[in-house]
Amino acid sequence: MLRKLFATALLAAGLGTAAQAASPTLEIGYLPILPDAQLFVALEDGSLAAGGVTQPKLVQFQSGPALTQALIAGQLDAAYVGIGPALVARAKGADIKVVASNIVEQVGVLALGPLAPYFASGDPSTAFARFAHDKGRKAVIASYPKGAVPEAALQYWLRNVLKADLADIDFVYQGEAQIQQSLMTGAIDGAAVLEPTTTSVLRRQPEARVVARGSQLFPKQPGAVLLVREKLIKEHPELVQALVRAQIGATALLRDDPAKAAGYVQKYVGGGRLPQDLVEASIRNSRDQFEADPRAIVKATGQLQDFQAQLGTQAERVDVDQLFDTSFYAKAK
């Protein structure tokens, strides 16, 4: 009888220990955009669940600044967000580490019919000046809000690569949906854009042209990343490892099987309203930009921060090396 009671007590203790060791429910922040595609793939193909990240609480944000504020406030265990918000959050004291990259060189410059020919012929550095001379007005170029990576990449290209006269350009700052609408209606002459906006506009505006791709704007420009709380690294490194392994697998699928990946991604990007063939085309057009290795963007992140400081959009600097933890990726490979 005593032996039976002892065995029952051991079993109860074991169950209690197992319950205490159960994986926590991760709160994951994200934006419904293509640069966060790895999250959508990992959710839908089961790789996150297989790694122990079961039933995560997904928190959708409509802008990087809103997600940044959540990180600063101590919310979220992990997030898929642009490197710009990651830099700002870290500078404001958020205990976060970038453990994987999502995408690089994601930003391109799209010019509509009236502006595009000025890049097709003549010196590109004088394209905006020649446009202004012929049209009697400045070219109107849309970009993301100041401080965002797309805006920094656009300014880097204009100032350091093209060496254009900024006095020939009128800048407007909008969100992605507004930029796409402005391009579709011809309210602007061009914009710094991401996929799937690029593919969507080119389909409906056949005279539009991509006049500069990501590698031309800012080589190895960092885009969206996967970041986690340092507390999660300390308390549940196995879950961080699972996130990174899923990131690597999702990146491979995006590169190697865009048709399959599109079925997963379409449910999330743009609220699930975009045609799947458009999402697939956007993934194909971004194939060489999907990059999971965080080591690939460390140097460029430092360069980006330096340039944003010159622009006055990154007031507080961070130690970029301390922002990254590349050990999980190295272990996964």
Side-chain angles (χ1 to χ4, degrees):
M1 182 67 177
L2 288 174
R3 187 179 301 169
K4 184 176 181 181
L5 288 172
F6 183 65
T8 302
L10 283 176
L11 178 61
L15 290 174
T17 302
Q20 291 172 3
S23 297
T25 297
L26 295 189
E27 188 175 60
I28 300 177
Y30 75 98
L31 281 75
I33 58 175
L34 190 69
D36 285 356
Q38 283 93 335
L39 169 62
F40 313 140
V41 171
L43 286 168
E44 295 296 320
D45 73 358
S47 57
L48 278 183
V53 184
T54 56
Q55 298 182 326
K57 179 183 177 182
L58 301 179
V59 184
Q60 178 178 303
F61 294 84
Q62 294 304 317
S63 70
L67 200 156
T68 301
Q69 289 305 312
L71 291 171
I72 295 171
Q75 302 167 13
L76 307 175
D77 299 300
Y80 295 76
V81 67
I83 192 67
L87 286 166
V88 172
R90 178 79 181 189
K92 296 290 185 180
D95 60 329
I96 55 173
K97 292 279 191 179
V98 172
V99 293
S101 169
N102 290 14
I103 195 167
V104 298
E105 299 176 346
Q106 62 181 346
V107 185
V109 177
L110 189 68
L112 295 184
L115 177 60
Y118 290 90
F119 286 91
S121 61
D123 184 354
S125 67
T126 63
F128 292 107
R130 287 182 283 117
F131 176 93
H133 178 269
D134 292 349
K135 305 295 184 182
R137 65 175 179 84
K138 299 179 182 181
V140 181
I141 303 298
S143 182
Y144 286 63
K146 292 182 178 180
V149 172
E151 160 62 5
L154 172 65
Q155 291 295 332
Y156 188 92
W157 175 67
L158 290 171
R159 297 165 186 250
N160 296 347
V161 179
L162 208 60
K163 301 186 186 303
D165 187 346
L166 301 188
D168 294 320
I169 304 170
D170 273 336
F171 294 100
V172 295
Y173 302 98
Q174 302 175 328
E176 183 177 12
Q178 292 175 296
I179 289 175
Q180 179 167 323
Q181 182 65 21
S182 296
L183 287 167
M184 293 295 194
T185 59
I188 56 179
D189 299 298
V193 292
L194 310 178
E195 289 286 5
T197 296
T198 305
T199 298
S200 182
V201 172
L202 289 175
R203 284 186 172 188
R204 295 181 57 180
Q205 299 273 12
E207 295 183 355
R209 295 289 183 272
V210 176
V211 297
R213 300 194 178 275
S215 59
Q216 297 169 289
L217 264 68
F218 193 128
K220 287 295 181 182
Q221 74 185 238
V225 297
L226 165 60
L227 59 81
V228 299
R229 290 279 177 195
E230 291 184 84
K231 180 181 179 182
L232 186 65
I233 292 176
K234 181 179 179 180
E235 296 181 357
H236 290 281
E238 76 284 357
L239 295 184
V240 178
Q241 194 67 65
L243 288 168
V244 173
R245 289 189 187 280
Q247 184 88 347
I248 293 170
T251 301
L253 186 69
L254 287 161
R255 283 173 166 264
D256 300 336
D257 195 345
K260 184 176 183 180
Y264 300 147
V265 175
Q266 189 271 340
K267 296 180 181 181
Y268 298 87
V269 173
R273 296 183 295 273
L274 298 177
Q276 187 165 321
D277 70 307
L278 173 63
V279 174
E280 181 181 340
S282 300
I283 292 173
R284 290 185 184 279
N285 291 337
S286 304
R287 182 190 183 281
D288 294 336
Q289 280 72 58
F290 291 115
E291 173 63 74
D293 189 348
R295 298 168 298 189
I297 63 170
V298 174
K299 181 179 179 180
T301 298
Q303 294 169 337
L304 174 67
Q305 181 176 233
D306 290 342
F307 181 65
Q308 287 183 313
Q310 293 175 27
L311 294 177
T313 58
Q314 180 74 28
E316 299 177 68
R317 308 289 290 276
V318 304
D319 184 333
V320 170
D321 289 334
Q322 291 300 311
L323 175 64
F324 286 83
D325 185 337
T326 63
S327 64
F328 292 95
Y329 183 88
K331 185 176 180 180
K333 295 298 285 186

